[in-house]
Amino acid sequence: MSLPKPSPRTASATLTRIGRFYITRELASGSAGTVYLARDPVLDREVAVKTFGSKLPPLEKKKRERYLINEARAAGRLSHPNIITIFDACADSNITYIAMEYLQGQELSLLLDKGHRFSYSDVASIVWRLADALAYAHQNEVVHRDLKPANIFMVSDRNPKIVDFGIARAPNRLPDEDSDLDTEDNPHTLFKNNLLGTPNYMSPEQAQGKPADERSDIYSLGAVMYEMLTSRKPFQAKTTEDLLQAIAYKAPPPPNELN
């Protein structure tokens, strides 16, 4: 079976193909890697292909590779309308990538940064869908562990998708080959000089370096809902260490005092 060649007018000038996927254009790029819009010639559909930079130092490259494969393993076992769909993944000596559902919209974090105010009914609808998605993930033994506005993609006004399962806990997650710290009984936080997750939305147990279970995701969803309702994060602090201490031992101001 011969595969169609990409048009030279639309393909990337430096990269035209990843695996079986033909690159259309670059969607986003950063220090950690790049996301491309691509076409699957077998199923004739558009997909997003995520990979990391080839110029990363060996240790960083290995870490990013593990994040990508863990994301594919965790999200790949899930099928829910409010969780991104993973189509394919590959890790070999040349390139590591995952191919996923191509979403059009923007991250919830961008909406919040722009000062977008959600109606109470919209907050209820969005959070209900996210809670249902998390319940489904938890039933399948997947704990996201890094739920935050940047990992919630708004396809439409009320249709969120949970993305980025790179540090999720799942039954088929790759074990850490380099360190005995990255285990389910000893998660990383700044208390151990190594951060796993995003501080503002961490649960108290994560902030204290304790194991994260389903309740941690529920707490993080509550922190997201708090910000959607009040336009501010539950805790404010000058340093990350102070922030983690506040999350671990204090209660945030009641939302109705702020809004």
Side-chain angles (χ1 to χ4, degrees), residues 118-226:
F118 292 89
S119 69
Y120 299 142
S121 61
D122 282 349
V123 174
S125 176
I126 292 167
V127 173
W128 183 89
R129 293 167 193 258
L130 292 170
D132 187 68
L134 287 176
Y136 170 79
H138 296 161
Q139 289 169 4
N140 285 273
E141 302 180 81
V142 174
V143 180
H144 191 282
R145 300 202 296 182
D146 193 21
L147 190 69
K148 57 185 178 181
N151 288 338
I152 297 170
F153 198 94
M154 300 302 300
V155 180
S156 64
D157 290 344
R158 294 190 180 186
N159 188 24
K161 292 260 190 179
I162 299 176
V163 302
D164 199 343
F165 285 75
I167 65 170
R169 191 194 74 192
N172 55 356
R173 183 174 186 267
L174 290 175
D176 194 321
E177 299 170 351
D178 304 312
S179 171
D180 59 1
L181 287 178
D182 190 18
T183 67
E184 299 310 325
D185 297 324
N186 204 5
H188 291 180
T189 73
L190 282 186
F191 291 148
K192 293 181 173 61
N193 299 316
N194 199 339
L195 184 64
L196 181 63
T198 304
N200 283 298
Y201 308 94
M202 275 186 170
S203 64
E205 58 269 21
Q206 285 177 296
Q208 296 177 75
K210 297 179 180 179
D213 59 20
E214 293 84 353
R215 293 168 295 180
S216 295
D217 282 349
I218 296 170
Y219 181 96
S220 296
L221 178 58
V224 172
M225 181 173 66
Y226 186 103

Side-chain angles (χ1 to χ4, degrees), residues 3 6 41 54 60 77 87 89 111 121 131 147 149 173-174 182 197 206 228:
L3 300 178
S54 59
E60 182 68 15
R77 63 189 281 121
F87 297 132
L111 288 171
S121 61
L147 190 69
R173 183 174 186 267
L174 290 175
D182 190 18
Q206 285 177 296
M228 293 176 71

Side-chain angles (χ1 to χ4, degrees), residues 86-104:
I86 302 296
F87 297 132
D88 192 15
C90 179
D92 58 33
S93 58
N94 295 319
I95 193 167
T96 299
Y97 69 86
I98 56 174
M100 65 191 78
E101 180 182 7
Y102 171 47
L103 303 176
Q104 298 187 63

